[in-house]
């Protein structure tokens, strides 16, 4: 009958081969999850693995002081504008000269942005009675932020149609306070038909298309 002082056997936690103390270093043999000498040597000879990827840094943004008023990454600005305390993105910088037209009847981006701000503050909400019956559910004003989110889609539409952004014709039949035109103008869309007229009557009379 074997005594308790016989050779002890342990299984390597890597290769699962059982061996006595001579198959391990003294330190490994004392552990509850030992690694045999053979596996330890193989680990030492193995080439180092690739370094762990560093955590991606959050992209730094700055608020454009132009008409879009969006928080944009550095790639949206010129190097000179990015260094400024009040940067203006490349899109707003490019749109400003073409939008500042005189004698065309179209507002400049600066004027449009000021008008949109006035509407947001409630400074120019019309209190005139409606010349036709209105549905209160049609009087929900779309905020400027929603048009800023929509602007990239409209930019792509203008590109697909071969039009300049300022010449893309947009028809918004629900007048409410008239802010939609100001918001769209502030985003660079200057050909907007947004009149205080009865859209449903025009549909019924087949004259709902905006004027050319």
């Amino acid at each position: 009958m074997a005594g308790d002082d016989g050779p002890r056997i342990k299984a390597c936690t890597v290769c699962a081969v059982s061996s006595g103390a001579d198959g391990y270093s003294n330190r490994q043999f004392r552990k509850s999850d030992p690694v045999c000498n053979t596996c330890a040597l193989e680990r030492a000879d193995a080439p180092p693995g690739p370094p762990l990827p560093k955590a991606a840094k959050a992209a730094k943004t700055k608020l454009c002081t132009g008409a879009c008023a969006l928080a944009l990454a550095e790639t949206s600005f010129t190097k000179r504008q990015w260094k400024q305390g009040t940067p203006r993105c490349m899109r707003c910088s490019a749109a400003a000269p073409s939008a500042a037209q005189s004698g065309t009847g179209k507002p400049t981006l600066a004027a449009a942005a000021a008008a949109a701000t006035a509407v947001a503050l409630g400074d120019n909400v019309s209190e005139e009675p409606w010349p036709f019956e209105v549905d209160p559910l049609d009087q929900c004003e779309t905020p400027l932020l929603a048009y800023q989110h929509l602007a990239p889609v409209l930019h792509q539409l203008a590109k697909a149609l071969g039009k300049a952004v300022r010449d893309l014709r947009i028809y918004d039949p629900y007048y409410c306070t008239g802010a939609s035109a100001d918001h769209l103008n502030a985003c660079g869309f200057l050909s907007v038909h947004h009149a205080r007229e009865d859209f449903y009557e025009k549909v019924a009379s087949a004259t709902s298309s905006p004027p050319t």
Side-chain angles (χ1 to χ4, degrees):
M1 185 174 67
D4 293 338
D5 57 350
R8 293 177 59 196
I9 301 295
K10 286 190 175 183
C12 173
T13 54
V14 177
C15 66
V17 174
S18 297
S19 58
D22 57 344
Y24 300 89
S25 67
N26 291 335
R27 178 174 173 273
Q28 286 291 336
F29 194 70
R30 289 194 298 269
K31 296 174 65 174
S32 58
D33 54 346
V35 176
C36 70
N37 292 335
T38 302
C39 291
L41 288 172
E42 289 178 354
R43 282 187 174 183
D45 293 338
L52 294 176
K54 294 182 179 179
K57 293 183 178 179
K60 187 177 180 182
T61 60
K62 284 190 176 182
L63 188 67
C64 173
T65 57
C68 74
L70 297 175
L72 302 169
E74 184 175 356
T75 52
S76 297
F77 301 87
T78 62
K79 290 183 178 179
R80 178 173 171 271
Q81 286 289 339
W82 180 255
K83 294 177 181 178
Q84 292 187 4
T86 56
R88 189 183 184 93
C89 74
M90 288 186 282
R91 177 178 292 177
C92 290
S93 297
S98 58
Q101 303 177 35
S102 59
T104 63
K106 294 181 178 179
T108 64
L109 283 178
T117 301
V119 169
L121 296 175
D123 293 342
N124 66 341
V125 176
S126 173
E127 296 182 357
E128 297 179 11
W130 290 92
F132 50 88
E133 184 179 355
V134 298
D135 185 341
L137 296 179
D138 291 341
Q139 306 306 306
C140 301
E141 196 87 85
T142 303
L144 175 61
L145 181 62
Y147 288 108
Q148 290 172 340
H149 289 167
L150 181 63
V153 178
L154 295 177
H155 273 264
Q156 290 299 317
L157 176 60
K159 183 178 180 180
L161 295 174
K163 291 177 174 286
V165 169
R166 65 181 180 277
D167 295 328
L168 181 67
R169 294 173 62 225
I170 300 174
Y171 180 33
D172 187 338
Y174 297 103
Y175 190 77
C176 195
T177 66
S180 290
D182 293 328
H183 291 335
L184 285 164
N185 291 162
C187 292
F189 305 99
L190 306 181
S191 299
V192 180
H193 180 73
H194 184 54
R196 201 167 189 260
E197 57 192 18
D198 190 346
F199 165 68
Y200 297 103
E201 186 277 329
K202 289 187 173 294
V203 169
S205 60
T207 60
S208 60
S209 299
T212 57

